[in-house]
Amino acid sequence: MNNSDSENPRKHGLAADAQGLLFGSSMAAAAMLILTHLGLVTGQTAGLAVLLSYMTGYSFGAVFFVVNLPFYWLAFRRMGLLFTLKTFIAVGLLSGFSFVLPGLFQIQYIHPAIGALLFGMMSGAGLLALFRHGASLGGVGILALYLQEKTGFRAGYTQLLFDVCVFALAFFVIDTTAVLYSMLGALVVNLTIAINHRKDWYVAI
């Protein structure tokens, strides 16, 4: 790859963005199906939605969609209209897939450790696809960037503090062993993104 390629990255077309959003959302939904089948949780807004679904009995898809609603204004302010629209579509797709997949994809048995690893890899791959097509699954990441811009408080610290709160709450909702397996899954998600999400390795936007 020469310097001109990285300075002038190719743009994704409409079809490429569509398949990227579809792939990313469906992978994330399948990962969430494994996670909730095992009674585990994860970090960020998805983790909060999972905990609320366990506590209230409402479906994850519905709770996740509602929990993300307050963040779209911040997404528009911080990331622009196109990012916000793509993120809204991605969140809607994940919520929709979460309703449909349990009737099409049923798990008979999976060990929690393997389930946590598969969740981490699948959701990490899904998030990478969404990031590379200018979208996200909304939530606290947008808030973290907004607070960093307004106050200077590092976005990574905001996300870390939020995850600490989610996992602390999880100890009161699910058993300790499940929380530990959940932490394994969250670690794999973050490692997958940290290792693979580098702009110098991927120049199309």
Side-chain angles (χ1 to χ4, degrees):
M1 183 187 302
N2 56 44
N3 290 334
S4 62
D5 289 333
S6 59
E7 292 171 0
N8 300 288
R10 296 180 298 277
K11 296 282 187 179
H12 286 127
L14 181 60
D17 278 343
Q19 69 81 31
L21 295 181
L22 186 63
F23 173 83
S25 300
S26 60
M27 285 290 286
M32 293 306 302
L33 182 62
I34 294 172
L35 189 83
T36 54
H37 169 78
L38 292 170
L40 306 183
V41 299
T42 187
Q44 303 298 299
T45 312
L48 177 61
V50 169
L51 282 177
L52 290 174
S53 72
Y54 290 161
M55 295 165 66
T56 64
Y58 289 109
S59 68
F60 164 76
V63 175
F64 183 69
F65 186 83
V66 171
V67 165
N68 269 291
L69 291 176
F71 295 100
Y72 292 119
W73 180 80
L74 292 178
F76 175 73
R77 289 284 304 273
R78 180 65 175 77
M79 308 297 287
L81 179 60
L82 185 59
F83 173 87
T84 304
L85 288 174
K86 288 181 178 179
T87 295
F88 182 81
I89 292 169
V91 170
L93 285 171
L94 191 156
S95 296
F97 284 135
S98 296
F99 284 110
V100 174
L101 281 181
L104 303 173
F105 171 31
Q106 298 181 4
I107 303 169
Q108 183 174 3
Y109 173 77
I110 184 170
H111 189 279
I114 299 302
L117 290 172
L118 286 175
F119 162 78
M121 291 185 286
M122 291 170 65
S123 57
L127 287 168
L128 284 171
L130 294 175
F131 293 162
R132 289 175 175 178
H133 288 272
S136 76
L137 288 176
V140 71
I142 297 170
L143 175 62
L145 291 172
Y146 182 82
L147 290 176
Q148 179 174 284
E149 183 179 273
K150 293 297 183 181
T151 68
F153 190 73
R154 295 287 294 275
Y157 295 152
T158 298
Q159 292 178 293
L160 178 61
L161 287 171
F162 187 88
D163 280 356
V164 168
C165 292
V166 169
F167 281 105
L169 178 60
F171 280 104
F172 296 95
V173 180
I174 60 178
D175 64 57
T176 301
T177 302
V179 175
L180 295 178
Y181 282 126
S182 300
M183 290 179 177
L184 172 63
L187 175 64
V188 175
V189 174
N190 290 320
L191 285 176
T192 300
I193 294 171
I195 293 170
N196 293 285
H197 188 47
R198 287 180 49 175
K199 290 184 178 179
D200 57 327
W201 286 356
Y202 189 82
V203 297
I205 58 175

